[in-house]
Amino acid sequence: MIYTILIILVILSLLMMIIKIMIGPTPWDRVLAFASMSTKLAIISLVYAIVNKFYIMIDIIIIFLVLNLWGIVIISRFLERGNK
């Protein structure tokens, strides 16, 4: 029951992040919304893995989060430098 409520709340926040990605006034807002969205997807996957006792999926989630971090750093560096 609590997992269902948690997933519903995370999905609602995902929808808000999608709206923020579409109408974000600056590219930095869009990058932040993308980072938040991918973290929330990892949370949903983590809850699924724990509920179904599929613990090997936790390793995959950690790899996904590390790749997400690298992607955000690369995009941030690109935005910081501009189109030089």
Side-chain angles (χ1 to χ4, degrees), residues 10-42:
V10 172
I11 288 174
L12 287 175
S13 66
L14 271 173
L15 293 174
M16 288 188 273
M17 289 298 118
I18 290 172
I19 292 170
K20 186 68 173 176
I21 286 175
M22 285 192 242
I23 63 171
T26 65
W28 293 106
D29 290 330
R30 291 185 175 117
V31 169
L32 181 64
F34 176 74
S36 298
M37 189 175 75
S38 59
T39 303
K40 287 175 188 4
L41 286 172

Side-chain angles (χ1 to χ4, degrees), residues 5-6 51 53 69:
I5 294 170
L6 176 68
V51 167
K53 295 179 177 62
L69 177 66

